[in-house]
Amino acid sequence: MLQSHVFFIIGILAGIVGTLIQLQVPKMVQPLVNSFGHGVNGGKVALVIALYIGSAAVSAIAAIVLGIFGESVVKNLRTRVWDKMIHLPVKYFDEVKTGEMSSRLANDTTQVKNLIANSIPQAFTSILLLVGSIVFMLQMQWRLTLAMIIAVPVVMLIMFPIMTFGQKIGRTRQDSLANFQGIASESLSEIRLVKSSNAEKQASKKAENDVNALYKIGVKEAIFDGLMSPVMMLSMMLMIFGLLAYGIYLISTGVMSLGTLLGMMMYLMNLIGAVPTVATFFTELAKASGSTGRLTELLDEEQEVLHQGESLDLEGKTLSARHVDFAYDDSEQILHDISFEAQPNSIIAFAGPSGGGKSTIFSLLERFYQPTAGKITIDDQPIDNISLENWRSQIGFVSQDSAIMAGTIRENLTYGLEGDYTDDDLWQVLDLAFARSFVENMPDQLNTEVGERGVKISGGQRQRLAIARAFLRNPKILMLDEATASLDSESESMVQKALDSLMKGRTTLVIAHRLSTIVDADKIYFIEKGQITGSGKHNELVATHPLYAKYVSEQLTVGQ
């Protein structure tokens, strides 16, 4: 970070030096022109040319250094934003589209970089050039300069409403662009669903609405961009024309010499270059306000603190939930008065109709969300007292659609784990997960690319890789969320063998619709409409819980 500041300071200082040289040239031209009647002074002419070249060289150095500074700024900003994103709680991702967050990371950070590394330094040196030119012009001919000082506020009054309009457009454009990227990202990530559902027209229509909204905003932005520079240039040219006319009048009255007028004209040329740059700065500032606002909102969001709390070994400890309630927001309650207990090395099953709240219980156990009432404990200690990193490192989770990242099989097996793992370690867990044979048959074995979301491998293979990853984590508490629900019978058999092996010697919580998965559980909790309506072993529930008995009967019918 210190190195970035050094680059910024060097860039600004180089820009100041270049500007100061540029301010000296017109001052040297005044006596040079006035002495032309006595002959041309070649040395002074060469000095003026050398100063112009030196000014250009120093300005080029400033631009290069500030360019490097800008890249350093955007790198640090993106690192900070990305680190913030991955530490945000899951509930934030429930409310914000992935594409919108991608826009914050890519587009908004670039906009901020352009403002800090380009627009601000250029505006600073341009203001210095502007002020310096006015000061030297006052020394040369105060009357002409005074006329300009009167004209400048008029130009600023013209700028102000346009700047306000540009600020509003800039924020609206960034928000609409983020929304469009969110929709596009969502559709493209589920392109198989789009095509299998013949939903191309629907996806196109949905995107068309956002494209049209972006078009309307773009038209407003085009009007803004189109008006800003011409209005500024027109104001400046009218001002300059008036000043030149007044200067000619002063020469005709003998108040000012030709050399002074030429020097004043050179300063005016500086102003012509400086004022549009300052105006552009305000344009960029207006556009960047939307980006900076969104990034500030993101960075101010409350994030998960992974290391806060104590470390605790979960092995041999009882996991309990006591009168837990939960709602995602102020709307309908999802869970009500949930209580259960999982003894060490026991198998606890959750059964019941879809949408009853079973997966939500797992989300609370993973600490993706906090209960709105009640508490979850481990040996009577609230799990909130345990650091998130320590807690999650001891939990293994296998769902019905286990997440696989783009990359190699090796990278997926070791994802999120610290330390080095040998090939033998990986082959061992693949053996335990009944996944060794299909990995060995792949062209690059452990280094085989699985594609985005694991599209290059089958559902059963994905599940077995997820189970192998769980073996490698060696969790104390294992959670299985309908891990075989979406598989064919052959794949289910292989995955079930792997799961049986994984469950040995661990506290296991299982969500399942299939009877075969839960009949051997030490205790079953039947959940419907967010409440536990029955608990016990399989035979006990069949005898005492009519809905569970019906549920079992339906499962047997499906099995037959």
Side-chain angles (χ1 to χ4, degrees):
M1 197 68 179
L2 180 63
Q3 187 179 15
S4 298
H5 290 155
V6 170
F7 274 112
F8 182 72
I9 293 169
I10 292 173
I12 291 292
L13 289 177
I16 291 172
V17 171
T19 301
L20 292 176
I21 295 173
Q22 196 172 345
L23 286 170
Q24 288 300 318
V25 174
K27 199 172 182 180
M28 296 177 65
V29 166
Q30 180 185 7
L32 184 63
V33 172
N34 288 336
S35 66
F36 276 172
H38 304 93
V40 177
N41 188 327
K44 287 186 177 180
V45 172
L47 180 59
V48 169
I49 295 172
L51 284 174
Y52 262 125
I53 294 172
S55 175
V58 173
S59 297
I61 292 171
I64 292 170
V65 172
L66 287 170
I68 295 171
F69 165 73
E71 293 305 318
S72 176
V73 165
V74 78
K75 183 197 81 169
N76 293 332
L77 182 57
R78 282 175 178 160
T79 299
R80 186 181 171 193
V81 171
W82 175 249
D83 187 66
K84 181 73 178 187
M85 284 180 174
I86 60 176
H87 286 90
L88 288 170
V90 170
K91 65 180 181 180
Y92 182 86
F93 296 89
D94 294 339
E95 299 167 359
V96 181
K97 291 181 179 178
T98 305
E100 289 186 41
M101 299 191 73
S102 299
S103 178
R104 301 284 87 83
L105 189 61
N107 299 338
D108 288 348
T109 52
T110 299
Q111 194 80 49
V112 172
K113 181 205 80 168
N114 290 335
L115 178 69
I116 295 175
N118 299 327
S119 300
I120 290 178
Q122 289 173 8
F124 179 78
T125 54
S126 295
I127 290 171
L128 178 62
L129 189 63
L130 190 69
V131 173
S133 297
I134 292 173
V135 169
F136 285 126
M137 288 172 73
L138 280 170
Q139 293 175 355
M140 284 184 172
Q141 192 8 268
W142 66 269
R143 294 180 180 87
L144 185 59
T145 308
L146 184 61
M148 181 177 177
I149 291 173
I150 294 171
V152 167
V154 176
V155 174
M156 295 305 296
L157 285 173
I158 295 171
M159 279 178 55
F160 185 74
I162 302 176
M163 286 164 46
T164 304
F165 181 61
Q167 184 175 6
K168 183 179 178 181
I169 288 177
R171 188 175 183 92
T172 306
R173 176 178 59 85
Q174 289 300 114
D175 290 347
S176 296
L177 185 60
N179 187 57
F180 173 64
Q181 287 185 322
I183 289 173
S185 176
E186 183 180 48
S187 297
L188 293 175
S189 64
E190 299 295 343
I191 192 64
R192 286 169 174 77
L193 175 63
V194 172
K195 292 186 175 297
S196 63
S197 304
N198 284 332
E200 287 88 350
K201 288 183 180 179
Q202 185 177 339
S204 296
K205 183 68 176 176
K206 192 174 182 181
E208 185 181 351
N209 293 333
D210 286 276
V211 169
N212 287 335
L214 276 172
Y215 167 74
K216 291 176 182 177
I217 295 168
V219 168
K220 290 181 181 179
E221 188 175 23
I223 293 171
F224 170 72
D225 290 340
L227 283 176
M228 188 65 171
S229 293
V231 168
M232 283 302 304
M233 288 302 297
L234 175 62
S235 303
M236 283 303 302
M237 291 307 296
L238 288 174
M239 182 175 65
I240 291 169
F241 178 76
L243 290 169
L244 285 173
Y246 184 51
I248 293 170
Y249 166 75
L250 291 176
I251 290 176
S252 67
T253 58
V255 176
M256 187 169 63
S257 67
L258 180 62
T260 301
L261 179 60
L262 184 57
M264 294 284 282
M265 288 179 66
M266 293 180 72
Y267 281 125
L268 287 174
M269 292 303 104
N270 287 345
L271 297 180
I272 290 173
V275 171
T277 302
V278 175
T280 301
F281 164 71
F282 287 114
T283 304
E284 291 299 319
L285 181 62
K287 289 182 178 180
S289 64
S291 299
T292 53
R294 282 297 186 190
L295 288 174
T296 301
E297 288 174 13
L298 175 65
L299 293 172
D300 286 343
E301 286 285 340
E302 186 177 345
Q303 69 180 57
E304 293 180 333
V305 182
L306 298 180
H307 303 287
Q308 183 175 309
E310 60 182 275
S311 295
L312 182 70
D313 187 353
L314 305 185
E315 189 169 6
K317 293 180 171 56
T318 301
L319 176 67
S320 304
R322 300 176 182 175
H323 308 292
V324 169
D325 294 349
F326 177 73
Y328 286 105
D329 46 40
D330 296 331
S331 60
E332 183 182 359
Q333 197 168 31
I334 306 299
L335 298 176
H336 178 65
D337 197 26
I338 297 293
S339 297
F340 65 84
E341 184 177 270
Q343 295 289 338
N345 303 326
S346 64
I347 299 175
I348 302 300
F350 297 96
S354 296
K358 301 184 296 297
S359 295
T360 303
I361 292 174
F362 274 24
S363 293
L364 294 179
L365 292 174
E366 286 265 34
R367 294 170 66 182
F368 293 154
Y369 307 96
Q370 292 296 319
T372 51
K375 60 182 179 179
I376 301 172
T377 62
I378 186 83
D379 261 10
D380 296 325
Q381 180 173 351
I383 63 173
D384 291 344
N385 295 345
I386 304 169
S387 78
L388 270 173
E389 184 180 52
N390 176 255
W391 176 259
R392 289 174 179 166
S393 69
Q394 300 181 76
I395 291 179
F397 180 60
V398 182
S399 68
Q400 60 180 312
D401 186 21
S402 293
I404 294 291
M405 306 291 284
T408 65
I409 290 174
R410 182 193 306 276
E411 290 167 346
N412 271 281
L413 291 176
T414 59
Y415 190 73
L417 298 175
E418 296 181 355
D420 296 322
Y421 294 89
T422 65
D423 286 4
D424 288 340
D425 294 332
L426 302 184
W427 286 119
Q428 183 179 359
V429 295
L430 288 170
D431 256 334
L432 294 171
F434 296 92
R436 179 171 188 136
S437 59
F438 80 79
V439 174
E440 282 181 331
N441 291 330
M442 289 183 167
D444 297 316
Q445 297 189 343
L446 291 171
N447 296 318
T448 299
E449 294 282 344
V450 297
E452 187 175 5
R453 297 189 177 185
V455 295
K456 293 183 179 179
I457 56 179
S458 70
Q461 289 172 338
R462 281 200 300 272
Q463 290 295 82
R464 280 179 276 167
L465 287 180
I467 293 168
R469 182 166 58 199
F471 269 118
L472 201 60
R473 290 177 69 88
N474 191 25
K476 309 297 171 55
I477 297 175
L478 179 64
M479 299 195 302
L480 308 175
D481 187 354
E482 300 180 313
T484 62
S486 59
L487 304 177
D488 57 64
S489 57
E490 183 179 354
S491 296
E492 180 187 1
S493 175
M494 296 291 289
V495 170
Q496 193 59 57
K497 287 181 183 178
L499 289 174
D500 291 341
S501 176
L502 179 61
M503 291 162 65
K504 289 177 182 176
R506 307 176 201 277
T507 303
T508 304
L509 292 86
V510 183
I511 294 174
H513 287 308
R514 303 193 180 189
L515 185 61
S516 58
T517 312
I518 59 176
V519 288
D520 296 326
D522 295 298
K523 195 165 188 178
I524 302 167
Y525 291 89
F526 195 82
I527 300 176
E528 48 183 318
K529 296 181 181 179
Q531 293 181 293
I532 294 176
T533 58
S535 63
K537 287 186 172 292
H538 171 66
N539 291 333
E540 295 170 356
L541 279 176
V542 169
T544 61
H545 197 291
L547 189 57
Y548 181 80
K550 181 182 177 184
Y551 176 79
V552 170
S553 176
E554 290 173 351
Q555 290 293 306
L556 289 173
T557 302
V558 171
Q560 290 171 357

